[in-house]
Amino acid sequence: MRNRARYLIFFQYIGTKYSGVMKGPPHQLHRRGVQDHLEDAIRRLMPLNPVSLSVSSRTDTGVHALSNSAHFDLQRRNNMPPFTEGILIEALNFHLKTEQIRITKAHRVPDDFHARYQAQSRTYVYRIALGIPNHLLLPLTDLEFCWSLRETELDVGSMRKAAALLVGNHDFSSFRAVSTEMTFKNPVKTLDVASIQPGCSFVQSHFHREVPFWELTFKSRSFLYKQVRRMTGALIAVGKGRLSVTQLKEILEARDTMAYPNNLVAPAHGLFLTRVDYSETDLRPSPRTSEEQFTSSGNSEDLI
């Protein structure tokens, strides 16, 4: 089927109003996920095949993404050639214009490509604002995009020592939340990066006062359920003096979900999925695919 193609798309979203990136429960139509809206937009391109999107990286309600990814197959009607990437991006964004979701890139990929299993790494950034006694004092552009703390300072040196303990290959059972998938997922992960660096407000040069920001960055091939938010919460507790570096090490070594202290998990709205990386060779289309793209024609106005 020369007019059937597999695409990898990169997309961003503000997660505040969605039930997460994955599909919402079918019996709760008011709780829709980002995937629901993406699949609706693809269906409006009138493909012959059933629409099924495979998302690379799961995010919860309230978590944002600057770059998540997914793959899907699309077969056009009347034996028309596959869409070029540019036309696909423009057409999907037209149908998503009422949502806080946008397609940023698209690649035609081999038919056996899988967005989740072939991802080489995922990077998350957690944003912290200091010296905010009431979150309503934040600039509007940061209100739903950081965790605001009353403290004006954190012990960043101790936080960095604690973060260094998390880097490497560990059993992260203590940092995963209880879920139905617990018995099926290996808790041993390799954390490549856990860094703590100064950040800034999105409108720093235009706000009437300076708000100190910090960014916690985590990179790994994959993460456990709520692992990033639980690591963030524990590191902030170290920064506040509620946990010592030694205590964090003991939590990690306990390898037990129940060892994680109550009320430490960082809230969802400060977390951003910023990158999903792939090998360039995995994204390289076959010669036949390249030829089809060269001969493909179409106008985005025909699709909207």
Side-chain angles (χ1 to χ4, degrees):
M1 292 180 289
R2 290 177 61 84
N3 64 337
R4 187 184 182 102
R6 177 161 293 189
Y7 295 96
L8 170 69
I9 56 170
F10 291 87
F11 55 98
Q12 55 185 209
Y13 48 89
I14 296 172
T16 308
K17 74 171 188 175
Y18 302 111
S19 65
V21 71
M22 309 304 286
K23 285 185 178 184
H27 58 284
Q28 298 181 23
L29 297 180
H30 64 286
R31 293 189 60 206
R32 306 196 79 205
V34 173
Q35 181 179 355
D36 291 303
H37 295 284
L38 288 171
E39 290 186 350
D40 284 351
I42 297 168
R43 288 189 190 96
R44 296 189 71 174
L45 304 184
M46 306 297 289
L48 280 175
N49 59 298
V51 173
S52 179
L53 195 73
S54 294
V55 179
S56 74
S57 308
R58 179 177 296 185
T59 60
D60 293 329
T61 302
V63 175
H64 316 290
L66 297 179
S67 187
N68 203 338
S69 61
H71 79 260
F72 64 94
D73 294 328
L74 193 150
Q75 182 180 359
R76 298 186 68 186
R77 296 175 181 272
N78 302 320
N79 208 33
M80 295 182 71
F83 296 129
T84 63
E85 288 97 333
I87 289 177
L88 181 69
I89 292 169
E90 188 175 348
L92 290 177
N93 281 335
F94 178 85
H95 294 304
L96 289 165
K97 62 185 177 182
T98 60
E99 298 298 327
Q100 294 178 320
I101 305 167
R102 289 296 178 270
I103 312 298
T104 58
K105 289 190 294 184
H107 294 272
R108 178 89 181 272
V109 291
D111 293 342
D112 60 352
F113 179 88
H114 200 287
R116 178 183 176 188
Y117 300 124
Q118 287 175 250
Q120 298 294 301
S121 66
R122 296 161 172 88
T123 303
Y124 287 88
V125 172
Y126 199 102
R127 302 179 72 240
I128 304 289
L130 299 182
I132 307 294
N134 185 321
H135 77 284
L136 296 177
L137 297 175
L138 283 166
L140 279 175
T141 52
D142 293 297
L143 191 60
E144 295 294 338
F145 306 109
C146 68
W147 182 12
S148 57
L149 304 178
R150 290 178 175 271
E151 288 78 5
T152 56
E153 291 184 354
L154 295 171
D155 184 349
V156 176
S158 293
M159 290 173 66
R160 285 174 172 157
K161 290 178 183 177
L165 296 174
L166 300 173
V167 175
N169 186 258
H170 303 287
D171 183 328
F172 283 99
S173 292
S174 298
F175 290 93
R176 70 173 172 184
V178 175
S179 73
T180 56
E181 299 179 348
M182 279 184 63
T183 56
F184 305 106
K185 287 205 170 182
N186 186 349
V188 177
K189 302 289 180 184
T190 299
L191 186 63
D192 300 310
V193 174
S195 71
I196 302 163
Q197 300 295 333
C200 65
S201 167
F202 292 139
V203 289
Q204 179 171 327
S205 59
H206 302 287
F207 199 54
H208 67 278
R209 64 185 177 89
E210 185 174 346
V211 179
F213 273 81
W214 288 90
E215 292 186 351
L216 285 68
T217 301
F218 303 94
K219 179 180 178 182
S220 177
R221 181 158 192 154
S222 62
F223 292 90
L224 299 169
Y225 181 51
K226 294 190 179 179
Q227 179 185 342
V228 174
R229 289 169 56 195
R230 288 165 76 92
M231 290 190 298
T232 298
L235 291 174
I236 294 299
V238 171
K240 290 180 175 182
R242 291 179 57 188
L243 282 180
S244 68
V245 176
T246 300
Q247 286 174 313
L248 185 141
K249 185 172 185 286
E250 291 170 350
I251 292 170
L252 174 65
E253 292 175 346
R255 300 190 296 272
D256 181 1
T257 302
M258 303 308 294
Y260 189 87
N262 293 328
N263 303 317
L264 282 192
V265 182
H269 56 263
L271 184 59
F272 289 77
L273 172 62
T274 60
R275 291 183 66 98
V276 182
D277 289 308
Y278 296 91
S279 165
E280 286 296 325
T281 55
D282 287 339
L283 299 182
R284 192 172 297 150
S286 65
R288 193 191 75 175
T289 298
S290 300
E291 180 183 345
E292 288 174 359
Q293 286 185 316
F294 182 77
T295 59
S296 176
S297 61
N299 189 315
S300 60
E301 294 180 359
D302 298 332
L303 311 174
I304 56 182

